[in-house]
Amino acid sequence: MNTMKTPLLITLLCLLTLNTTFSQESCSKFYPLEEGSSFEYTSYDKKGKTDGSVNYTITDVRQEGSASAATFDMKFKDKKGKDVFESSYSFSCENGLVTVDYKSLFPSQMMQQYSEMGLEMDISGTDIELPNDLSVGQQLNDANVTIAMSMSGINMNISVDQTNRKVEKKESITTPAGTFDCYLLTENSITKTMGSTIEMSSKLWLAEGVGMIKQESYKKNGNLVSRSELTSYNK
């Protein structure tokens, strides 16, 4: 199963960091929901070296009954700028609450490949919620996602619990895409897989009308692991 480790973990990371909001005026103040809008995020390792990038494009916005829905196309590139894989996923939003199609987050080409290898996968979890009106000191609901995999009688589960989610403060953040007034959200996460447990913390900066501006992940001891920031956008 080592061949699937990188794309699965990259996709899971994007799920956990970028699905915190859904974009529409009546549903969330964050992320403008307009077809054709695009956002590029560049990732860096703990030494500040480029580790890859991902580009999100909103390709379809629609009404599904009383809910709003949108499709996001994702294109991943490695640190050399070479295409790694592409995917798309869907959001729906109703009465200020977000629903994520977890299975759609995994590239169909990758899923077909793993299916042909005899891999069975089941993805479940609870949505990450973000109110329209954030305030400093506000505590947000916990969230989790679980991936159960089975192949040739071998089972492997990956679970990620996000806890202690709160709004720390408001501050101005500058990236190559510009300077933004942001809310800083912090949280702890516990990842369990194959008998091991990894505890981490993260910081997420969100700007109204744009969405995620910057994200940092830290080890339990406080050392920086990775950083991702908005490098360009068009809406």
Side-chain angles (χ1 to χ4, degrees):
M1 291 190 183
N2 289 337
T3 57
M4 70 183 176
K5 180 179 180 181
T6 299
L8 277 178
L9 293 182
I10 290 175
T11 305
L12 182 58
L13 175 62
C14 289
L15 162 66
L16 297 177
T17 58
L18 297 183
N19 74 347
T20 53
T21 60
F22 183 81
S23 29
Q24 192 179 41
E25 186 72 20
S26 61
C27 195
S28 175
K29 294 180 180 178
F30 304 92
Y31 290 80
L33 186 56
E34 300 176 11
E35 289 186 11
S37 295
S38 61
F39 306 85
E40 180 188 68
Y41 295 90
T42 301
S43 299
Y44 306 88
D45 62 20
K46 61 182 179 181
K47 295 182 179 180
K49 295 182 179 180
T50 301
D51 202 30
S53 65
V54 57
N55 184 279
Y56 289 78
T57 302
I58 303 174
T59 57
D60 181 44
V61 180
R62 58 198 179 276
Q63 287 296 125
E64 296 181 349
S66 58
S68 300
T71 298
F72 287 68
D73 283 353
M74 297 187 297
K75 294 183 178 180
F76 291 87
K77 294 185 178 181
D78 62 18
K79 58 185 177 182
K80 295 182 179 180
K82 181 180 178 181
D83 291 336
V84 179
F85 67 89
E86 298 182 9
S87 183
S88 63
Y89 64 97
S90 300
F91 281 95
S92 65
C93 184
E94 186 174 9
N95 299 324
L97 295 178
V98 176
T99 300
V100 180
D101 182 359
Y102 288 101
K103 293 184 179 180
S104 74
L105 281 161
F106 290 80
S108 57
Q109 183 179 3
M110 183 183 73
M111 294 294 287
Q112 181 179 354
Q113 178 184 355
Y114 293 155
S115 177
E116 292 173 353
M117 292 168 55
L119 173 68
E120 297 181 1
M121 185 183 301
D122 182 64
I123 307 167
S124 60
T126 57
D127 299 331
I128 300 175
E129 297 180 358
L130 187 77
N132 277 336
D133 298 318
L134 295 178
S135 60
V136 175
Q138 184 176 4
Q139 196 77 28
L140 304 176
N141 291 338
D142 294 345
N144 68 75
V145 61
T146 299
I147 304 172
M149 292 172 282
S150 176
M151 184 171 69
S152 302
I154 300 175
N155 299 319
M156 183 174 73
N157 295 328
I158 301 174
S159 66
V160 181
D161 291 309
Q162 295 169 267
T163 63
N164 197 28
R165 300 178 61 233
K166 59 183 178 181
V167 183
E168 288 287 347
K169 59 182 178 179
K170 293 186 70 175
E171 62 180 354
S172 179
I173 291 293
T174 298
T175 75
T179 299
F180 307 88
D181 292 327
C182 298
Y183 287 97
L184 169 58
L185 278 63
T186 60
E187 68 175 44
N188 298 326
S189 67
I190 299 177
T191 302
K192 296 181 179 180
T193 177
M194 298 187 69
S196 65
T197 299
I198 302 174
E199 297 184 36
M200 299 183 68
S201 63
S202 66
K203 296 180 179 180
L204 176 67
W205 287 266
L206 295 173
E208 291 187 15
V210 182
M212 189 185 94
I213 303 301
K214 184 178 177 181
Q215 189 266 344
E216 294 178 345
S217 297
Y218 298 85
K219 291 182 179 179
K220 185 179 180 180
N221 61 11
N223 291 338
L224 180 68
V225 175
S226 63
R227 170 172 59 91
S228 180
E229 63 184 20
L230 181 69
T231 44
S232 66
Y233 72 102
N234 176 53
K235 61 176 184 176

